[in-house]
């Protein structure tokens, strides 16, 4: 009997030994690592090329998804009131379209006035700056340079037709992209809950599904909270710019206020371009250097106070992103998709950092949104 017991135990040990998986560690050489990184690099290059080539379609769809996530909190509130998803999507999309149309209509008159006064402004700029430019000998610029030749006012006016035809050729693609944007926004808001459910069900285990729910909710909350708060803050910056341009003697103060509001959503690049534009406009308006630069200095001061005192006081440390990461994102997306890419750089960075923080909670830190 003991002998049979020992035999069965030995047989069982033999079966377990045969079932044991022996893992062999293979030491990778430098060539293997180079191959892996080469594949990753080729994939990234192809992905960037695909994003750039398909920008006519990807750009409005991405913008629609971002705007839909921002409006998601409002859609949830309408859903709590018993409004069906498609009805709330139609209401929010229509309101957003009305805001865009009314804003564009309000800018038509100032833009038309600016186009009419452009030649006179160019003449004043030539009369004011040519004496200073003539002192720089290596530029070889004289008053005759702007009176005749390819950079003269007459030549610019003669080329206006070709400029307008170039602009007109881009109108049709812009209209098509606008239609794609509003259609994508309507459908995304209407099917937002179904998309969320499909993303969650796509994960097999419960832990990953809970992580997907937390990540989606965190993205929607972060985008909605930031842009709702930032819109109110930057509306104050726009109103301040209207007052600054009116006191500073600049023409079309409403237009300056609108540009100040929009540029504030593009960190670093927006305030830089706006300050330079105000400096040029002020120098063209006033003979005095101090009066000419006063509007630019005033706007830069207001923007600096808002970004360094008001915004942190309102938002605290709830929303923060590394400043260098945002700067690189702005340069990259501006290169890829132009002005729309610059506007999308911040929300895309915010989405990326939110996903990173939710998936790696142990290393979670609160990045700061720069202005």
């Amino acid at each position: 009997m003991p002998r049979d017991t020992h035999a069965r135990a030995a047989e069982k040990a033999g079966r377990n030994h045969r079932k044991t998986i022996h893992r062999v560690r293979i030491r990778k050489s430098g060539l293997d690592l180079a191959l892996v990184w080469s594949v990753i690099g080729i994939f990234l290059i192809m992905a960037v090329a695909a994003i750039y080539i398909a920008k006519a379609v990807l750009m409005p769809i991405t913008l629609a998804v971002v705007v839909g996530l921002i409006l998601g909190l409002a859609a949830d509130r309408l859903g709590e009131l018993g409004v069906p998803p498609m009805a709330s999507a139609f209401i929010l999309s229509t309101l957003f379209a009305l805001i865009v149309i009314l804003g564009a209509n309000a800018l038509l008159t100032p833009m038309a006035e600016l186009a009419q006064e452009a030649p006179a402004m160019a003449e004043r700029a030539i009369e004011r700056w040519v004496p200073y430019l003539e002192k720089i000998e290596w530029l070889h610029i004289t008053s005759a340079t702007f009176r005749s030749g390819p950079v003269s006012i007459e030549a610019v006016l003669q080329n206006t037709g070709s400029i307008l035809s170039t602009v007109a050729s881009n109108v049709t693609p812009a209209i098509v992209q606008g239609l794609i944007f509003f259609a994508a926004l309507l459908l995304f808001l209407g099917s937002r809950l179904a998309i969320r459910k499909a993303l969650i069900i796509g994960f097999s285990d419960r832990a990953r599904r809970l992580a997907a729910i937390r990540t989606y909710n965190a993205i929607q909350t972060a985008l909605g909270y930031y842009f709702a708060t930032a819109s109110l803050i930057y509306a104050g910056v726009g109103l301040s710019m209207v007052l600054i341009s009116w006191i500073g003697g600049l023409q079309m103060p409403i237009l300056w206020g609108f540009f100040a509001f929009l540029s504030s959503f593009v960190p670093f690049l927006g305030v830089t371009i706006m300050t330079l534009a105000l400096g040029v406009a002020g120098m063209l308006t006033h003979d005095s250097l101090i009066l000419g630069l006063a509007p630019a200095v005033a706007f830069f001061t207001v923007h600096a106070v808002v970004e360094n005192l008001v915004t942190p006081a309102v938002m605290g440390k709830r929303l923060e992103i590394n400043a260098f990461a945002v700067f690189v994102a702005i340069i990259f997306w501006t290169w890829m998709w132009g002005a729309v890419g610059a506007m999308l750089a911040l929300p895309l960075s915010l989405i990326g950092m939110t996903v990173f923080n939710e998936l790696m909670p142990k290393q979670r830190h609160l990045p700061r949104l720069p202005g």
Side-chain angles (χ1 to χ4, degrees):
M1 191 73 176
R3 188 176 298 175
D4 294 338
T5 303
H6 288 302
R8 285 195 297 269
E11 184 180 356
K12 185 177 180 180
R15 287 198 303 267
N16 292 336
H17 179 74
R18 287 192 297 269
K19 291 181 179 179
T20 302
I21 299 175
H22 298 280
R23 296 184 179 181
V24 179
R25 296 186 62 182
I26 300 175
R27 186 176 182 180
K28 294 184 178 180
S29 63
L31 184 61
D32 295 329
L33 295 176
L35 179 62
V36 172
W37 283 108
S38 298
V39 173
I40 295 175
I42 292 173
F43 172 79
L44 291 177
I45 293 174
M46 294 180 66
V48 170
I51 293 173
Y52 181 79
I53 294 173
K55 64 180 180 180
V57 177
L58 290 179
M59 184 169 61
I61 292 177
T62 305
L63 184 61
V65 172
V66 171
V67 175
L69 290 173
I70 295 172
L71 298 177
L73 296 177
D76 291 338
R77 298 296 180 271
L78 292 176
E80 294 173 358
L81 297 176
V83 182
M86 284 305 300
S88 63
F90 180 79
I91 293 172
L92 294 175
S93 301
T94 303
L95 289 176
F96 187 82
L98 287 176
I99 293 174
V100 173
I101 293 173
L102 292 176
N105 185 56
L107 293 176
L108 287 178
T109 301
M111 293 298 292
E113 294 178 359
L114 180 63
Q116 292 178 355
E117 296 180 3
M121 293 174 61
E123 288 285 352
R124 291 197 301 269
I126 291 172
E127 293 177 357
R128 185 163 299 174
W129 290 102
V130 165
Y132 298 99
L133 296 177
E134 286 179 342
K135 298 178 180 179
I136 306 175
E137 298 181 356
W138 58 271
L139 289 177
H140 303 289
I141 292 178
T142 62
S143 57
T145 305
F146 298 96
R147 303 300 178 186
S148 61
V151 295
S152 63
I153 301 300
E154 291 77 7
V156 172
L157 293 177
Q158 290 176 359
N159 294 328
T160 303
S162 61
I163 296 174
L164 293 177
S165 63
T166 303
V167 173
S169 63
N170 294 323
V171 170
T172 301
I175 293 175
V176 174
Q177 290 179 354
L179 294 176
I180 294 174
F181 165 75
F182 284 110
L185 178 61
L186 175 63
L187 296 176
F188 178 80
L189 286 173
S191 59
R192 183 174 54 88
L193 298 178
I195 294 174
R196 179 176 179 268
K197 183 178 180 180
L199 290 174
I200 295 170
I201 295 178
F203 295 96
S204 57
D205 57 284
R206 183 174 181 272
R208 293 183 179 180
R209 288 180 179 179
L210 292 176
I213 294 174
R214 289 195 304 269
T215 302
Y216 184 91
N217 293 338
I219 290 174
Q220 181 174 281
T221 303
L223 287 175
Y225 176 79
Y226 171 74
F227 280 95
T229 308
S231 297
L232 295 176
I233 295 175
Y234 295 149
V237 175
L239 293 176
S240 301
M241 186 65 248
V242 172
L243 184 62
I244 290 172
S245 57
W246 179 68
I247 296 175
L250 300 180
Q251 299 179 357
M252 295 166 289
I254 296 178
L255 188 62
W256 284 111
F258 179 77
F259 287 151
F261 172 75
L262 285 184
S263 64
S264 298
F265 285 98
V266 184
F268 308 120
L269 188 61
V271 63
T272 301
I273 294 177
M274 191 69 187
T275 303
L276 293 176
L278 285 170
V280 173
M283 293 300 296
L284 292 177
T285 304
H286 302 285
D287 295 329
S288 173
L289 180 63
I290 297 177
L291 292 177
L293 296 179
V297 174
F299 168 75
F300 186 83
T301 303
V302 169
H303 197 279
V305 170
V306 168
E307 291 298 337
N308 293 282
L309 297 179
V310 179
T311 302
V314 175
M315 295 186 181
K317 293 185 177 181
R318 182 174 179 178
L319 296 173
E320 294 182 347
I321 292 181
N322 183 270
F324 180 74
V326 174
F327 178 76
V328 173
I330 290 173
I331 298 301
F332 175 78
W333 288 109
T334 303
W335 169 61
M336 292 289 288
W337 290 350
V340 177
M343 297 289 290
L344 284 173
L346 183 57
L348 292 178
S349 300
L350 186 58
I351 291 173
M353 291 301 297
T354 303
V355 172
F356 178 82
N357 291 336
E358 292 297 327
L359 296 182
M360 303 186 69
K362 293 181 180 180
Q363 301 180 12
R364 185 171 184 173
H365 62 281
L366 296 174
R368 183 185 176 191
L369 280 175

